[in-house]
Every structure is written in structure tokens, then in C-alpha cells.
Amino acid sequence: MKLEKQERIINAAMKEFVKSGYEKASTNEMVKDAQISKGSLFNYFSNKKDLYFFLIQNAVNIIEQIYVEIDMNERDIFERISQVGFIKLNIQKKYPLVFDFLKSLLEEDAPDVKSDINQLLANIQKDGMKRIYENIDWSKLREDIEPQKAMNILNWTMTGFAELQIAKIKSFEDIGIELFNEWDSYKEILKRCFYKNGEE
């Protein structure tokens, strides 16, 4: 399939799934928007579910770009998290529809796909958290704070912050640097709680 045609199909399908959810999404609307025939669509995908999971894998591949761009030489956990946030923000602004599609997965409750989606999202989150903490220097932590407990608190904070921000926006097209600045204010509080005096 030519890249331009593939992009038309991907964008049209994601728009329709975001708008209508899995069960109500119409392949007629997708082919109309993509300006292809229905037969052409099903030459590439055996059914709607096949297309849906292709789009999910495509989104996972874009998320992977976040981790590829992380500078693993940055060993301060708070600087690492800020770096990941900044990379993620840039990728979200580059591919807002992909992140709108990912957001729609959180709300999807169609029995045919729900359990697979939940498992996939859990794996993405678990893998992402693991990679954020690779090669981190924990020696700056206060002596009474165990690294694992610090990671748990950071994970809960990042997850809660992300859920709160996602609930506020209609589309990732609206996301901006102010989100990043708000996270920074939480980061400074956590840093003062976790680090020994004099550590930055």
C-alpha cells in the first residue's frame, strides 16, 4: 500500500473510532473519508477488529518514539521525568489524532475488544514506567526513603496527573506547554520531600 493511501485510511479510521467508539464505528464513513472503496479497505484488513488493532499497534509504535528519544545519561529521576514529559508533549502535538485515539481506548467498553485493550494498556504503562527508571541514581534520596516506595509514589502521582489532564481536554490538539509547567510545580514539591538537604 502506498504511504499516502495508508495515512488516509489510518486517519479516517481513527477519526471514526474516536467519534463513534468501536461498536458504532462505520466502515462506510471510513472509506468515504479516506476516498477509497470498501473493497479496497478489506483488501488490507480482514474485518473491523483487524483494522482496530492495527491502529492500536500503530499508536504503540508512535509511543515508542518517546522512549527512543530519552537521554539515558540523565540519571536524576526528576530531570528524567521532565525530559519524558517534554518529549511526550512534542509527540502529542505532532500526532494529536493518535493520542485522541489512545484516549478513546480508555473509554471503550465493547465486549469484543475491552479485555484485550485493558491488557494492552496495562502492558504499555508497565513497560513505560520500567523504562523511565532505567539507570536512575537513587543516592540523592533521603536515607529513610526506599527507592521502590519513591517509584510507587511517583507512579501514582504521574498516573493521577495524566488522568486529570486527559479528562480536561477534548483533543490533544489543545494540549500546550502550560501542562508541562503545572507538572513542574508538583515536581518541585516531590523533590523537596524526597531528596536530602542540598540535593537538587
Side-chain angles (χ1 to χ4, degrees), residues 2-193:
K2 289 183 180 176
L3 184 59
E4 186 273 335
K5 186 176 183 181
Q6 185 183 50
E7 287 179 355
R8 268 191 286 131
I9 294 172
I10 288 172
N11 287 337
M14 284 196 297
K15 279 182 202 169
E16 180 61 15
F17 281 123
V18 169
K19 185 181 82 172
S20 305
Y22 176 76
E23 282 190 334
K24 293 182 179 174
S26 162
T27 51
N28 288 333
E29 290 299 317
M30 294 175 198
V31 298
K32 183 178 169 186
D33 191 19
Q35 300 178 328
I36 60 169
S37 68
K38 200 160 185 175
S40 180
L41 178 68
F42 288 112
N43 276 338
Y44 303 117
F45 305 100
S46 55
N47 52 43
K48 187 164 79 171
K49 187 174 181 179
D50 186 28
L51 169 59
Y52 193 64
F53 280 93
F54 171 84
L55 296 176
I56 293 174
Q57 186 56 54
N58 179 65
V60 169
N61 293 343
I62 287 173
I63 290 174
E64 181 64 24
Q65 291 182 29
I66 297 170
Y67 302 109
V68 169
E69 292 185 28
I70 294 175
D71 176 7
M72 288 298 176
N73 292 319
E74 177 54 75
R75 301 190 66 207
D76 181 285
I77 183 55
F78 293 103
E79 295 309 313
R80 173 75 63 79
I81 290 172
S82 291
Q83 186 190 105
V84 171
F86 192 67
I87 295 167
K88 191 174 179 182
L89 178 65
N90 284 334
I91 291 180
Q92 285 170 336
K93 290 184 79 65
K94 187 175 179 182
Y95 303 102
L97 182 57
V98 171
F99 284 87
D100 287 346
F101 176 66
L102 285 167
K103 181 185 175 193
S104 77
L105 298 183
L106 298 171
E107 298 156 0
E108 184 56 65
D109 59 3
D112 196 24
V113 295
K114 185 173 176 56
S115 65
D116 287 338
I117 288 173
N118 287 345
Q119 184 63 53
L120 191 66
L121 292 177
N123 289 343
I124 290 171
Q125 187 176 42
K126 184 179 176 184
D127 181 58
M129 293 297 189
K130 184 180 172 186
R131 293 166 81 175
I132 287 173
Y133 296 119
E134 280 180 22
N135 197 36
I136 289 298
D137 174 13
W138 295 106
S139 67
K140 293 181 179 178
L141 287 181
R142 284 172 24 194
E143 290 177 358
D144 59 340
I145 296 179
E146 297 169 23
Q148 184 57 55
K149 289 187 176 174
M151 280 190 273
N152 289 344
I153 293 170
L154 287 167
N155 289 345
W156 297 330
T157 305
M158 287 189 286
T159 303
F161 182 80
E163 287 175 356
L164 187 65
Q165 301 308 320
I166 287 172
K168 285 182 189 174
I169 60 170
K170 285 185 180 176
S171 166
F172 279 87
E173 286 182 348
D174 305 327
I175 207 161
I177 195 70
E178 63 278 0
L179 184 77
F180 193 65
N181 294 337
E182 188 176 349
W183 167 255
D184 263 0
S185 66
Y186 289 100
K187 179 186 83 173
E188 291 305 319
I189 294 169
L190 289 168
K191 191 188 279 191
R192 287 198 296 274
C193 294

